[in-house]
Amino acid sequence: MGQIEQVVTRERSDNRVRIDFQTEPARYRHWKLQVDSQIAMLVMDVDEKAPLFDGYDLKLNSYDLGVDIELADAIERLRFEHPTVRVLVLRSAKPRVFSAGANIRMLAGASHAHKVNFCKFTNETRNGIEDFSENSGVKSICAINGTAAGGGYELALATDYIMLVDDGAAAVSLPELPLLAVLPGTGGLTRVSDKRRVRRDHADVFCTTEEGVKGKRAVEWRLVDVVVPGSKFDEAIEARAREFAAQSGRAASGPGIKLTPLARKFTDNGVEYGTLAVEFDRPARIATIVVRGPAASPPASAEAMVAQGAEFWPLKLARELDDAILHIRLNELEIAAIVFKSSGDPAYVLAYDRFLDANQRHWLAREIRLLWKRVLKRVDLTSRSLVTLIEPGSCFAGTLAELPLASDRAYMLIGGRGGDNKPPASIALAEANFGAYPMVNGLTRLASRFLATPGDVERVKAECGKMIEAEAAQRLGLVTFALDDIDWDDEVRVFLEERASFSPDALTGMEANLRFAGPETMESKIFARLTAWQNWIFQRPNAIGEDGALKRYGTGHKPVFDTRRV
Amino acid sequence: MGQIEQVVTRERSDNRVRIDFQTEPARYRHWKLQVDSQIAMLVMDVDEKAPLFDGYDLKLNSYDLGVDIELADAIERLRFEHPTVRVLVLRSAKPRVFSAGANIRMLAGASHAHKVNFCKFTNETRNGIEDFSENSGVKSICAINGTAAGGGYELALATDYIMLVDDGAAAVSLPELPLLAVLPGTGGLTRVSDKRRVRRDHADVFCTTEEGVKGKRAVEWRLVDVVVPGSKFDEAIEARAREFAAQSGRAASGPGIKLTPLARKFTDNGVEYGTLAVEFDRPARIATIVVRGPAASPPASAEAMVAQGAEFWPLKLARELDDAILHIRLNELEIAAIVFKSSGDPAYVLAYDRFLDANQRHWLAREIRLLWKRVLKRVDLTSRSLVTLIEPGSCFAGTLAELPLASDRAYMLIGGRGGDNKPPASIALAEANFGAYPMVNGLTRLASRFLATPGDVERVKAECGKMIEAEAAQRLGLVTFALDDIDWDDEVRVFLEERASFSPDALTGMEANLRFAGPETMESKIFARLTAWQNWIFQRPNAIGEDGALKRYGTGHKPVFDTRRV
């Protein structure tokens, strides 16, 4: 199984392999991150002998989740450690190959759950590249020096500008359908149709042509932005990068802060982080995440925030929460429900939100808010039932109030608890709940929640900063049920038992539909539409059966299909 | 197998059962259509002993495709035969039951292909009810006298106004997830979240509560519009119906026209209709639909059109094309590609379009355009590769030009053909191509096609009414490839062979993604997002495995689930 010590480690006592999402440039096996003041060059040079699992070599810059974990890490470091960077160039170190896409043998051997989670994470990484351009002003260029096939071309599609060498051989392609009987897994079809707006019949030809499209036709069909003769390729990339850097609105100035390694402790039944704890009740199939509010007021100035660096509470919590969610997604497949709890002083949480509001033009405050946006989207897109329990001593205020709003249900205790003298639970909203954290549908969680009654968004906005107790929170529509101490334990227990008793697949589909009402964006289409089709196809015998295309790929035998169209 | 003679007939020489979509009120087994001038009452009274296939009884107003074929027929007849109707009331004839939804034993026994096609057709029927309200001014009321479960409640969701009797027992529910481990199959989740805009946590509770929601809570949660005591139910329905009738903008006045039975002849290798022919090349997995243009000019007046009735060319063709598409969908599962061809004089086709434009305020002309809109949407949503071949002698003009625009690709022959003295093929656009026929995404096919370059829509609009030959059509972006006689046969053959060689599932997913670029509507979300999730879940062992919920329903044994969340 696991090959790469730093990515896959064996820490669990049952010796199961744990996929680790933490890495750092010094440990990269597949990418080289070169920063030259304003221009960052991210060079793909996959070590074919360093796959995440046994059983395949990562030839021709093909990738698996391990490769993508490094890519995601690199983008985060450009955001936080290199604030002077204004343009990102993606290149390949392999001759005549940009990337062959997701490794086919890995896909053929992976479980359905791994394939789905792999695609979800790689999608989130590519959306992050687009967010880096749109919201941090760092445009990206993909310089394709040869073959960009499947996921290789999909990576290019996530950038702002695709440059293809014009040497009679270099081509872009999405050969998944003709070659493997599956769909491109990382937003390829949606970005072809909706981002690059390739005409539908051209897209049809493109997506059914194994060898892809090259040269002038690739430009005419809008598949790439420009083709450049090999002799002028480097020069053209450089010129374009300087142009984008000059246009960049990135307000950041150096120096950055260091994203220090997360301090985590894995135990048999949980993970202990600095700002949160994860507890697993595996027999009940529940993961409880207890988020801890800050222990003190925010620092006095933006400079003091920079000095705290990765220890600054909102940044530390966002990174740790992200890691915890990814850990549950990939390593704890049996968990049916994630229960969010919190402990701390909501006044401090609100003070941190006011601090970030006051410093919203500071590059670091801005990047922290953008990170929270992405982490909360990751929560929304996690295929587990999400529930928040709001009890005395909790601090679901401001940014942390997004957790109940992201949950499928929120239960809130009315009044105190027998044998406990904590004051009754309250929830509080802040400015950040009304715009800083849009979901993939482009709306805030409050706007999505009150789609039928937009006036209710204004109604709750009037309560900003106030501590709202359970019955008022229910009246305002902020929580699903306000319950008193007598009913609480039973209601919560029955709900969680019920959730664990339902079909996991049906829950995934239901939650994916109910969480994202209202408008669709390219991002929501990738997750809501394309992913669902892909999940279906990834289960069909024509792809994964013994005679299916994924299983037969490379065997010399053609796949045998059930020819009924459904 | 087939039980109901009029719906399922054995005509094919191989004795396979053919599902027939043609029926008429005198043959209905499951519905009663009562028209009282402005108010139409459609009463559901399912004959439990008349299922479409053996093996299940249609108890408690549960339904199968046979029931829905009658419902779809009834709505069409209200459009064409009863133009004075201004409001539609859906009721049940069974005591204390509105409808138990799609029949579970039917679902458990049906093939994946049948389930998917069943859901697609029922969705189209419900979208048709909404279109009848939005575009013909006939609002609908669903009067729920008892239990409306699953598809029963989904039918209610398609109406404008849901009335629930308040007797302590009557309830609406979507019990698919807790009971059967699948999703509601007919737009239920999307209509709950996007049409009725039920708050997401309320929707979560509702969709996981087997017994559903009743009384006051059903109104508060926006699941129904009103609850009414049983003693006042009839009176309240009547009052609401009169109110809607008074508000209706339906411009139609009687008398209607008779939708006479289609004259069709089924042979071993095709179907012959009055205005089109379907030919099957089963070894090659191709269905060719040859559409015939009108043989003469349109009638002189709207009155003459009414006098022609169902023989009026645009209406006759729309009905026959709809039947042909449904026949291929349900009865010819092995067909990989539908090839559209046409024969006739494009000048006559354009003349008919001008006639319909000139009479667009006439109720019948309006209903014919609306029918074409729905038939073309049905084409878009057909999971077969669609290709149009434009050759000398064809008449892809105006409304018929929507067929190449609806196709995944269009091939057009340059110049004449050896040994044939027909003039070169041409294509022509008309006003109808620029607004009359929006796709499910709300855009015209031309606007969807030229999403990247909206100016191209204006550019082709300037060519309205002109005969455009192949090379010009390719330059304008109207066809995929213009080919000369030397290349034509090979290119077309290779394309069709290739299409038949690909995975049918992957093609379905790819086409579903590439055909609908741009904005999403409730309708497109139902087909693009919900359907895809549902297809996935319908394939998963947790639903259809030997221990899955669908298989175990009613056996007294609980389902056993693979508990991994994906």
Side-chain angles (χ1 to χ4, degrees):
Chain A
M1 285 285 282
Q3 287 296 290
I4 316 167
E5 218 183 347
Q6 68 268 33
V7 177
V8 183
T9 54
R10 290 185 182 77
E11 290 190 20
R12 290 266 303 282
S13 59
D14 59 2
N15 245 341
R16 270 173 44 186
V17 168
R18 177 168 64 77
I19 296 172
D20 192 347
F21 289 85
Q22 298 304 313
T23 184
E24 57 184 313
R27 295 190 305 170
Y28 289 176
R29 298 287 295 261
H30 309 298
W31 295 90
K32 291 181 180 65
L33 179 56
Q34 300 157 353
V35 177
D36 174 13
S37 178
Q38 299 194 342
I39 300 176
M41 191 82 75
L42 198 41
V43 181
M44 191 175 196
D45 191 8
V46 175
D47 178 351
E48 68 177 63
K49 295 298 176 198
L52 189 56
F53 303 105
D54 281 344
Y56 54 90
D57 290 343
L58 294 171
K59 289 182 182 160
L60 301 172
N61 265 357
S62 65
Y63 63 85
D64 64 4
L65 182 58
V67 177
D68 226 67
I69 286 171
E70 293 184 5
L71 173 60
D73 182 78
I75 306 292
E76 291 304 314
R77 288 184 195 272
L78 289 175
R79 289 178 176 271
F80 287 97
E81 300 190 350
H82 302 284
T84 60
V85 161
R86 289 165 158 255
V87 65
L88 167 63
V89 180
L90 291 175
R91 300 199 66 167
S92 155
K94 312 280 190 214
R96 290 181 302 284
V97 172
F98 176 72
S99 164
N103 187 278
I104 298 170
R105 290 186 189 285
M106 177 277 292
L107 286 175
S111 70
H112 185 59
H114 184 79
K115 281 200 283 277
V116 170
N117 273 310
F118 166 68
C119 290
K120 192 177 282 184
F121 182 80
T122 55
N123 270 312
E124 289 168 325
T125 305
R126 278 134 199 81
N127 292 344
I129 292 173
E130 290 178 330
D131 178 86
F132 197 30
S133 167
E134 193 183 334
N135 294 304
S136 298
V138 179
K139 277 200 181 179
S140 52
I141 294 168
C142 188
I144 301 176
N145 61 311
T147 310
Y153 177 55
E154 287 179 301
L155 180 55
L157 285 169
T159 66
D160 293 298
Y161 195 79
I162 307 178
M163 306 178 74
L164 176 65
V165 82
D166 192 11
D167 63 0
V172 297
S173 65
L174 290 177
E176 285 85 347
L177 186 142
L179 214 56
L180 304 169
V182 297
L183 298 187
T186 324
L189 297 181
T190 304
R191 284 201 178 82
V192 162
S193 67
D194 281 63
K195 183 179 185 179
R196 303 203 58 98
R197 300 181 179 186
V198 175
R199 223 175 71 198
R200 59 174 283 194
D201 53 348
H202 291 160
D204 182 275
V205 176
F206 175 60
C207 298
T208 53
T209 303
E210 206 175 299
E211 65 277 19
V213 171
K214 62 190 174 184
K216 198 173 132 215
R217 174 174 274 190
V219 178
E220 283 173 359
W221 285 12
R222 308 175 58 87
L223 297 165
V224 307
D225 291 287
V226 68
V227 287
V228 183
S231 60
K232 299 193 174 162
F233 201 47
D234 288 340
E235 185 188 325
I237 297 164
E238 168 94 15
R240 184 60 67 180
R242 297 217 170 276
E243 188 192 321
F244 282 174
Q247 293 166 356
S248 167
R250 194 175 201 198
S253 57
I257 62 157
K258 181 78 189 150
L259 293 180
T260 49
L262 300 186
R264 300 169 300 178
K265 189 174 171 233
F266 290 88
T267 63
D268 280 359
N269 293 313
V271 195
E272 188 60 39
Y273 293 86
T275 58
L276 64 93
V278 185
E279 292 162 33
F280 297 113
D281 178 351
R282 292 203 180 82
R285 299 181 51 228
I286 300 168
T288 301
I289 298 182
V290 184
V291 171
R292 294 184 202 108
S297 298
S301 65
E303 293 67 39
M305 164 180 69
V306 173
Q308 289 190 9
E311 286 300 308
F312 181 59
W313 176 78
L315 175 55
K316 186 172 184 174
L317 175 55
R319 292 179 70 210
E320 294 183 338
L321 180 57
D322 203 37
D323 188 68
I325 293 290
L326 288 168
H327 175 64
I328 294 169
R329 273 196 194 170
L330 270 288
N331 298 315
E332 296 285 345
L333 293 173
E334 305 275 341
I335 292 298
I338 298 176
V339 177
F340 291 109
K341 295 185 178 186
S342 66
S343 69
D345 185 341
Y348 283 146
V349 179
L350 291 176
Y352 269 89
D353 267 319
R354 283 194 303 271
F355 178 87
L356 289 171
D357 288 341
N359 290 287
Q360 61 186 286
R361 300 174 68 99
H362 189 278
W363 72 268
L364 180 55
R366 182 171 177 77
E367 284 298 340
I368 290 169
R369 277 270 159 87
L370 290 171
L371 174 59
W372 265 101
K373 181 182 74 172
R374 295 193 304 283
V375 174
L376 289 165
K377 283 182 180 179
R378 186 107 79 192
V379 171
D380 292 332
L381 287 166
T382 295
S383 59
R384 312 298 168 100
S385 296
L386 305 173
V387 59
T388 299
L389 301 183
I390 309 173
E391 298 166 283
S394 66
C395 58
F396 289 110
T399 294
L400 294 189
E402 293 292 312
L403 292 173
L405 296 174
S407 295
D408 300 305
R409 299 191 196 177
Y411 290 81
M412 191 161 179
L413 187 72
I414 300 169
R417 201 162 233 162
D420 175 354
N421 56 8
K422 284 186 192 133
S426 60
I427 182 171
L429 298 176
E431 194 60 33
N433 303 113
F434 296 86
Y437 308 127
M439 303 167 64
V440 291
N441 64 4
L443 301 182
T444 63
R445 285 176 190 78
L446 282 167
S448 292
R449 186 173 188 85
F450 296 127
L451 210 54
T453 52
D456 284 356
V457 178
E458 295 309 309
R459 198 158 64 109
V460 299
K461 198 166 185 178
E463 308 295 314
C464 251
K466 295 183 194 161
M467 298 296 156
I468 306 166
E469 295 190 6
E471 284 161 303
Q474 186 175 27
R475 271 197 307 277
L476 288 166
L478 295 172
V479 300
T480 316
F481 296 116
L483 301 171
D484 60 27
D485 198 22
I486 297 169
D487 296 327
W488 179 266
D489 285 347
D490 273 354
E491 290 274 346
V492 170
R493 181 183 52 76
V494 166
F495 165 66
L496 289 170
E497 284 175 4
E498 185 183 78
R499 216 64 174 189
S501 77
F502 290 149
S503 158
D505 310 325
L507 282 172
T508 293
M510 182 195 77
E511 290 160 2
N513 278 281
L514 296 182
R515 287 178 188 170
F516 308 100
E520 296 260 12
T521 62
M522 194 177 67
E523 217 174 314
S524 73
K525 281 171 92 164
I526 288 172
F527 291 112
R529 178 208 272 205
L530 178 56
T531 300
W533 281 111
Q534 198 184 314
N535 282 7
W536 176 63
I537 292 162
F538 264 140
Q539 275 288 286
R540 298 278 288 166
N542 287 340
I544 60 156
E546 282 312 308
D547 303 327
L550 263 183
K551 285 284 157 79
R552 290 214 164 171
Y553 179 76
T555 63
H557 299 283
K558 284 199 164 193
V560 179
F561 294 135
D562 174 346
T563 51
R564 284 173 296 179
R565 279 291 299 249
V566 178
Chain B
M1 287 287 283
Q3 287 297 291
I4 316 168
E5 218 181 346
Q6 67 269 32
V7 177
V8 182
T9 55
R10 290 185 181 77
E11 291 191 20
R12 288 265 305 282
S13 61
D14 60 1
N15 246 341
R16 270 173 44 187
V17 169
R18 178 168 64 77
I19 296 172
D20 192 346
F21 289 85
Q22 298 304 314
T23 184
E24 57 184 315
R27 296 191 304 170
Y28 290 176
R29 299 288 293 265
H30 309 297
W31 295 88
K32 292 182 181 63
L33 179 55
Q34 299 157 353
V35 176
D36 174 13
S37 178
Q38 299 195 342
I39 299 177
M41 192 82 76
L42 198 41
V43 182
M44 192 174 195
D45 191 9
V46 175
D47 178 351
E48 69 176 62
K49 295 298 177 197
L52 188 56
F53 303 105
D54 281 345
Y56 54 91
D57 289 344
L58 295 172
K59 288 181 184 160
L60 300 172
N61 265 357
S62 65
Y63 63 86
D64 64 3
L65 182 58
V67 177
D68 226 67
I69 287 171
E70 293 184 5
L71 173 61
D73 182 78
I75 306 293
E76 291 304 314
R77 288 182 196 274
L78 289 175
R79 289 178 176 271
F80 288 97
E81 300 189 350
H82 302 284
T84 59
V85 161
R86 289 165 160 254
V87 65
L88 167 63
V89 180
L90 290 175
R91 300 199 65 166
S92 156
K94 311 280 190 215
R96 290 181 302 285
V97 172
F98 175 72
S99 164
N103 187 277
I104 298 170
R105 291 187 188 284
M106 177 277 291
L107 286 176
S111 69
H112 185 61
H114 184 79
K115 280 199 285 275
V116 170
N117 272 309
F118 166 68
C119 290
K120 192 177 283 184
F121 181 80
T122 55
N123 270 311
E124 289 168 325
T125 305
R126 278 134 198 81
N127 293 343
I129 292 173
E130 289 178 330
D131 178 87
F132 197 28
S133 168
E134 193 183 334
N135 293 304
S136 298
V138 179
K139 279 200 182 179
S140 52
I141 295 168
C142 189
I144 301 176
N145 61 310
T147 309
Y153 177 56
E154 287 178 300
L155 180 55
L157 285 169
T159 66
D160 293 298
Y161 196 78
I162 306 177
M163 306 178 73
L164 177 65
V165 82
D166 193 11
D167 63 359
V172 297
S173 64
L174 290 177
E176 284 86 347
L177 185 142
L179 214 55
L180 304 169
V182 297
L183 299 188
T186 323
L189 298 181
T190 304
R191 285 202 178 82
V192 162
S193 66
D194 281 62
K195 183 179 184 179
R196 302 202 59 97
R197 301 181 180 186
V198 175
R199 223 174 72 197
R200 59 174 283 194
D201 53 349
H202 291 160
D204 182 276
V205 175
F206 175 61
C207 298
T208 53
T209 304
E210 206 175 300
E211 65 276 18
V213 171
K214 62 190 175 184
K216 200 174 133 216
R217 175 174 273 189
V219 178
E220 283 173 359
W221 285 12
R222 309 175 58 86
L223 297 164
V224 307
D225 291 286
V226 68
V227 288
V228 183
S231 61
K232 300 193 174 163
F233 201 47
D234 287 340
E235 186 188 324
I237 296 164
E238 168 94 15
R240 184 60 67 178
R242 297 219 170 275
E243 187 192 322
F244 282 174
Q247 294 165 356
S248 167
R250 195 175 201 197
S253 58
I257 62 158
K258 181 79 190 148
L259 292 180
T260 50
L262 300 186
R264 300 169 299 178
K265 191 177 168 226
F266 290 89
T267 63
D268 280 358
N269 292 312
V271 196
E272 187 62 37
Y273 293 86
T275 59
L276 64 92
V278 185
E279 292 162 33
F280 297 112
D281 178 350
R282 292 202 179 82
R285 300 181 50 227
I286 299 168
T288 301
I289 297 182
V290 185
V291 171
R292 296 187 201 104
S297 297
S301 65
E303 293 65 39
M305 164 180 68
V306 173
Q308 289 189 10
E311 286 301 306
F312 180 59
W313 176 77
L315 175 56
K316 186 171 185 174
L317 175 55
R319 291 179 71 209
E320 293 183 338
L321 180 57
D322 204 38
D323 189 68
I325 293 290
L326 288 169
H327 175 64
I328 294 169
R329 274 197 194 168
L330 271 287
N331 298 315
E332 296 285 345
L333 293 173
E334 305 274 342
I335 293 298
I338 296 176
V339 178
F340 291 109
K341 295 185 179 186
S342 65
S343 69
D345 185 340
Y348 283 146
V349 179
L350 291 176
Y352 269 88
D353 266 319
R354 283 193 302 272
F355 177 87
L356 289 171
D357 289 340
N359 291 286
Q360 61 185 287
R361 299 175 69 98
H362 189 278
W363 73 268
L364 181 55
R366 182 172 178 77
E367 284 298 340
I368 291 170
R369 276 273 158 85
L370 290 171
L371 174 59
W372 265 101
K373 182 182 74 173
R374 295 193 303 282
V375 174
L376 289 165
K377 283 182 181 180
R378 186 107 80 190
V379 171
D380 293 331
L381 287 166
T382 294
S383 59
R384 311 298 167 100
S385 297
L386 305 173
V387 59
T388 299
L389 301 182
I390 309 173
E391 298 165 282
S394 66
C395 59
F396 289 110
T399 294
L400 295 189
E402 293 292 312
L403 292 173
L405 297 174
S407 295
D408 300 305
R409 299 190 196 178
Y411 289 81
M412 190 161 180
L413 187 72
I414 301 170
R417 201 161 233 162
D420 175 355
N421 57 8
K422 284 187 192 132
S426 60
I427 181 171
L429 298 176
E431 194 60 33
N433 304 114
F434 296 85
Y437 307 127
M439 302 167 64
V440 290
N441 64 5
L443 302 182
T444 63
R445 285 175 190 78
L446 281 167
S448 292
R449 187 173 188 84
F450 296 127
L451 211 54
T453 52
D456 283 355
V457 178
E458 295 308 310
R459 198 158 64 109
V460 299
K461 198 164 185 179
E463 307 295 313
C464 252
K466 295 183 193 160
M467 297 296 156
I468 305 166
E469 295 191 8
E471 284 159 304
Q474 186 175 28
R475 271 197 306 278
L476 287 166
L478 295 172
V479 300
T480 317
F481 296 116
L483 301 170
D484 60 27
D485 198 21
I486 297 169
D487 295 327
W488 179 267
D489 285 348
D490 273 354
E491 290 274 346
V492 170
R493 181 184 51 75
V494 166
F495 165 66
L496 290 169
E497 283 176 4
E498 185 184 79
R499 216 65 174 188
S501 77
F502 291 148
S503 158
D505 311 324
L507 282 172
T508 293
M510 182 193 78
E511 290 160 2
N513 278 280
L514 296 182
R515 286 178 188 169
F516 308 100
E520 296 259 12
T521 63
M522 194 177 67
E523 217 174 313
S524 73
K525 281 170 92 163
I526 288 172
F527 290 113
R529 179 209 271 204
L530 178 56
T531 300
W533 281 112
Q534 198 184 316
N535 282 7
W536 176 63
I537 292 163
F538 264 139
Q539 276 288 287
R540 299 277 289 167
N542 286 340
I544 59 155
E546 281 314 307
D547 304 328
L550 263 183
K551 285 283 157 81
R552 291 214 163 169
Y553 178 78
T555 62
H557 298 284
K558 284 199 165 196
V560 179
F561 294 136
D562 174 346
T563 50
R564 285 172 296 178
R565 279 291 297 248
V566 177

